[in-house]
Amino acid sequence: MTNADKAARREWPLWEVFIRGQHGLSHRHVGSLHAADAEMAMKNARDVYTRRHEGTSIWVVPSAQITASAPSDKGPMFDPADDKTYRHPTFFDIPDDVGAM
Amino acid sequence: MYAQLVKSDAADDSPEARAFQARIDRGEKIEPKDWMPDGYRKTLIRQIGQHAHSEIVGQLPEGNWITRAPTLERKAILLAKVQDEAGHGLYLYCAAETLGVSRDELTEMLLDGRMKYSSIFNYPTLTWADMGAVGWLVDGAAIMNQVPLQRTSYGPYARAMVRICKEESFHQRQGFDIMMKMANGTEAQRRMAQNALDRFWYPSLMMFGPSDKDSVHSAQSMAWKIKMNTNDELRQKFVDQTVPQAEYLGLTVPDPDLRWHDETGHYEFTQPDWSEFMDVLRGNGPCNADRLAARNKAWDDGAWVREGLMAHADKKRAAKVAAE
């Protein structure tokens, strides 16, 4: 079903929910839900995803606003990192005599 | 289980399908935008949809007792459990939606009978002890199936299962807690507990579905890792785990042929009446008509709320645009 079909049926739009589990951590995607507007999405997110103290903060984002990379781009996007092992500290041999680095 | 007799579409033999199967065999997770065979997508929609519907319809037999719970504490606990079931339904609908079907479409298919929910919820909950039996046996049987599904090949389904399994254990334990209280209570309470076990034992065994050793659907679903164990394996595991718990309660499993075998390390038990199971699936169980009528009424009565909130959201958006 396309987004246009869903709009024609007057279905509540889909929202993605992100929750900060603990202070000091970033928000993490936990799932999605339906709501007519942002205020309701926030209330529903609280009821659906934090019944057991799973979070200290919630973000809700309309799913239609998310731009995602395509699975077919996986190679061109991520493979170039394979031959740049010098980006990792373990690439360089530092003599033990130098001490901690 | 919560999804019973899910028809599995056949795999095609294209190079893409073979590469797809190889990914699953390597233990990779399939994500929503990845290529997948049409049969995999359709089978999953049926399975996850049926699972979601079961969570939603499963609220009805327990909702029946919220206003009649014996204490305020039991009432608060039952309310929390029923709220969890609603949450589980929502996690699963969201997982199904990533496959290209909408939640409202799935709901409509439930309401007009095109999609099923688990047979177990077509049995009535007649006494408070049934709340104990449902938590202990029905949620216990559900856990048997859901724990391995945390490793299923479809990412969104597996992640929904992880969340559900974390919460499900509370459900089973609160059920067993009710059974302990009743089994150790007055003679009338003990009889009530025994009666609940008598009525829910075989319907719980039916939850796993008929023996699937000859089923081609089952073989395909297992190859795709959307079914992790055979129905018979899970049923056996359930019996082996549950019989000692019944003994602990001092209750009798209603199966005169139930026998422990040292050599196999398993119980031998009587199969449920599969003609009854098929009849319940066809819509002739004690509560099928009531359950569907209740869901249809809730959907119809809620139509003005769904429409009203959308109208309100449109109005607010228009006002915001005008203000900018």
Side-chain angles (χ1 to χ4, degrees):
Chain A
M1 177 173 266
T2 66
N3 283 331
D5 289 339
K6 286 179 195 165
R9 288 164 64 105
R10 301 292 287 155
E11 287 186 17
W12 287 351
L14 199 63
W15 300 70
E16 299 302 322
V17 181
F18 299 80
I19 290 181
R20 184 199 300 284
Q22 295 170 35
H23 289 294
L25 296 183
S26 48
H27 286 72
R28 194 173 160 202
H29 183 245
V30 293
S32 50
L33 51 76
H34 287 272
D37 58 23
E39 191 188 343
M40 184 185 175
M42 186 59 80
K43 282 187 181 140
N44 287 359
R46 182 232 174 225
D47 285 347
V48 179
Y49 291 105
T50 65
R51 289 193 302 280
R52 288 177 177 75
H53 235 290
E54 287 91 339
T56 59
S57 163
I58 301 175
W59 290 348
V60 288
V61 182
S63 306
Q65 296 295 317
I66 289 184
T67 307
S69 63
S72 54
D73 292 340
K74 202 172 146 227
M77 281 183 96
F78 305 114
D79 287 353
D82 287 351
D83 55 11
K84 295 178 180 60
T85 49
Y86 45 79
R87 287 202 155 128
H88 297 277
T90 46
F91 180 79
F92 304 95
D93 283 328
I94 305 292
D96 289 346
D97 303 346
V98 178
M101 183 180 283
Chain B
M1 177 70 322
Y2 272 26
Q4 296 159 325
L5 290 184
V6 174
K7 193 175 149 286
S8 173
D9 276 52
D12 58 77
D13 199 32
S14 62
E16 291 93 342
R18 279 197 298 268
F20 176 83
Q21 186 61 50
R23 287 190 63 194
I24 289 180
D25 294 342
R26 282 196 300 272
E28 288 180 26
K29 293 282 183 231
I30 309 303
E31 294 297 340
K33 288 184 159 187
D34 294 351
W35 186 90
M36 61 186 83
D38 213 32
Y40 179 84
R41 183 186 300 277
K42 283 187 183 153
T43 305
L44 264 179
I45 289 175
R46 278 196 287 266
Q47 179 173 332
I48 303 174
Q50 201 183 110
H51 197 156
H53 297 328
S54 299
E55 301 283 356
I56 297 300
V57 177
Q59 295 178 96
L60 296 170
E62 294 184 307
N64 183 39
W65 282 92
I66 290 175
T67 55
R68 284 168 258 195
T71 67
L72 187 57
E73 187 188 42
R74 291 285 185 199
K75 179 175 176 161
I77 292 170
L78 186 59
L79 202 55
K81 178 180 191 286
V82 172
Q83 193 191 18
D84 273 355
E85 307 298 1
H88 295 180
L90 294 180
Y91 306 155
L92 287 161
Y93 283 129
C94 287
E97 282 189 296
T98 62
L99 292 158
V101 65
S102 83
R103 186 176 77 187
D104 286 7
E105 278 181 289
L106 289 169
T107 302
E108 282 162 14
M109 286 193 272
L110 167 70
L111 297 181
D112 67 17
R114 273 177 291 160
M115 286 184 86
K116 301 283 181 214
Y117 53 89
S118 175
S119 58
I120 191 73
F121 301 119
N122 291 311
Y123 290 87
T125 46
L126 303 175
T127 72
W128 174 251
D130 288 8
M131 292 302 93
V134 166
W136 170 39
L137 301 173
V138 175
D139 289 283
I143 290 171
M144 284 285 151
N145 182 54
Q146 289 170 339
V147 166
L149 279 176
Q150 293 178 102
R151 293 179 284 112
T152 188
S153 62
Y154 189 55
Y157 192 24
R159 292 191 285 273
M161 278 298 131
V162 170
R163 296 190 68 84
I164 289 174
C165 285
K166 270 190 202 156
E167 300 177 353
E168 203 79 69
S169 175
F170 143 57
H171 298 178
Q172 192 187 16
R173 292 172 75 135
Q174 68 86 33
F176 194 74
D177 186 61
I178 292 173
M179 292 305 272
M180 282 198 296
K181 198 87 177 173
M182 304 283 287
N184 296 313
T186 64
E187 183 48 32
Q189 285 175 313
R190 206 202 61 79
R191 273 202 309 273
M192 213 183 265
Q194 179 63 52
N195 177 270
L197 171 58
D198 290 347
R199 281 180 292 110
F200 276 95
W201 176 254
Y202 287 106
S204 298
L205 296 187
M206 289 177 199
M207 286 175 69
F208 299 94
S211 178
D212 49 7
K213 53 182 181 289
D214 306 318
S215 161
V216 276
H217 296 319
S218 189
Q220 178 58 69
S221 288
M222 288 182 83
W224 278 333
K225 291 191 190 162
I226 56 182
K227 184 182 170 95
M228 309 301 285
N229 305 84
T230 69
N231 296 347
D232 290 322
E233 276 166 19
L234 292 172
R235 187 172 13 252
Q236 182 70 56
K237 209 171 158 201
F238 174 75
V239 171
D240 290 346
Q241 181 185 291
T242 308
V243 171
Q245 295 168 352
E247 283 167 0
Y248 178 87
L249 293 169
L251 300 177
T252 310
V253 172
D255 179 355
D257 297 323
L258 185 73
R259 234 163 238 104
W260 172 257
H261 288 287
D262 262 337
E263 55 287 12
T264 60
H266 294 296
Y267 284 94
E268 182 187 333
F269 60 95
T270 305
Q271 289 289 318
D273 177 356
W274 291 114
S275 62
E276 177 184 320
F277 171 78
M278 295 311 291
D279 209 35
V280 171
L281 279 198
R282 273 193 295 270
N284 302 321
C287 298
N288 294 60
D290 282 355
R291 300 299 186 229
L292 268 190
R295 288 314 307 153
N296 271 289
K297 182 176 185 309
W299 182 251
D300 294 342
D301 290 355
W304 71 273
V305 180
R306 293 193 300 276
E307 287 161 20
L309 283 166
M310 277 302 272
H312 177 68
D314 290 346
K315 209 166 88 180
K316 265 201 329 196
R317 202 176 311 118
K320 200 176 161 212
V321 170
E324 283 163 5

